[in-house]
Amino acid sequence: MFQGNDFSFGQVSDFAAVQLRRIPIDGTWPAAPEMPSLDPAATMADAVARAWRAARVRLQRAIDAVATQVVLLDETGAIAAVNRAWRLSARMNGLAHPRYGLGLNYLNLCREAAAAGVRDAAVTAEGLDRVMQGGVRSFYFKYSSPCPGELRLYALLAWRIVEEGMSYVAVSHELLEVHGR
């Protein structure tokens, strides 16, 4: 009898006999189980997608733990992520965007406000642009924000994050003071 490494030919034929007994009497074969893709590119793409989703979840948990309002901007200046404090502030201040600004270009919004004559927006746009281009590591700016019945003073801190070839800018808005009118 043929001997393999860990089994004999007799064991193989016993296995086949057991499998033959599982064939239904009407001769129909059960559906083959779905096999995972053997295409290395597809397998790698799936692994990268799973890793990216897991990293996004970890990132969201980390920024949600921060008490100040935080947005992450991608390389173009678009809002890629916002934290819990940002979402709460957006609801309280009537932000009309359904996803709290996700996808909007924060840098362009600052530029548009600057073009409309908002001085603080001009300073912010310039500072963010310098951080995004790598001219400076961070940017700090105090600005006021008029709200119904009060004036709020904020500190904006922006810093560049480069991770595995991707560049982001984290922007935090910390409420410093509130003055009644």
Side-chain angles (χ1 to χ4, degrees):
M1 180 180 295
F2 172 77
Q3 295 286 325
N5 288 342
D6 295 326
F7 60 90
S8 69
F9 182 73
Q11 289 172 321
V12 172
S13 62
D14 290 343
F15 174 77
V18 169
Q19 297 307 311
L20 286 174
R21 282 189 223 120
R22 293 184 180 169
I23 297 175
I25 296 174
D26 66 1
T28 60
W29 289 86
E34 190 164 325
M35 298 297 291
S37 172
L38 298 178
D39 177 11
T43 304
M44 181 59 77
D46 291 343
V48 168
R50 281 192 306 278
W52 177 248
R53 282 191 300 273
R56 295 262 320 168
V57 167
R58 286 191 304 274
L59 171 67
Q60 190 64 56
R61 288 179 182 156
I63 66 172
D64 278 344
V66 177
T68 60
Q69 300 170 40
V70 175
V71 296
L72 290 180
L73 310 180
D74 68 12
E75 297 95 347
T76 68
I79 299 174
V82 300
N83 74 342
R84 182 175 289 126
W86 175 274
R87 293 188 302 270
L88 177 63
S89 176
R91 281 194 301 271
M92 289 174 54
N93 293 304
L95 179 66
H97 194 271
R99 295 179 48 216
Y100 307 104
L102 288 171
L104 294 178
N105 193 300
Y106 189 95
L107 183 57
N108 286 345
L109 291 172
C110 289
R111 288 176 178 149
E112 289 168 12
V118 179
R119 184 188 163 288
D120 289 349
V123 173
T124 300
E126 182 183 327
L128 289 175
D129 199 34
R130 289 177 50 215
V131 171
M132 291 180 77
Q133 301 305 317
V136 294
R137 256 186 94 138
S138 63
F139 167 71
Y140 181 84
F141 178 62
K142 289 183 181 179
Y143 68 96
S144 60
S145 176
C147 295
E150 61 190 23
L151 181 67
R152 298 177 186 170
L153 179 64
Y154 286 91
L156 179 144
L157 175 61
W159 64 101
R160 189 165 186 239
I161 302 167
V162 178
E163 185 66 36
E164 296 189 21
M166 301 205 47
S167 175
Y168 295 92
V169 173
V171 181
S172 70
H173 298 264
E174 182 176 1
L175 180 60
L176 300 176
E177 298 176 23
V178 177
H179 300 279
R181 285 190 181 176

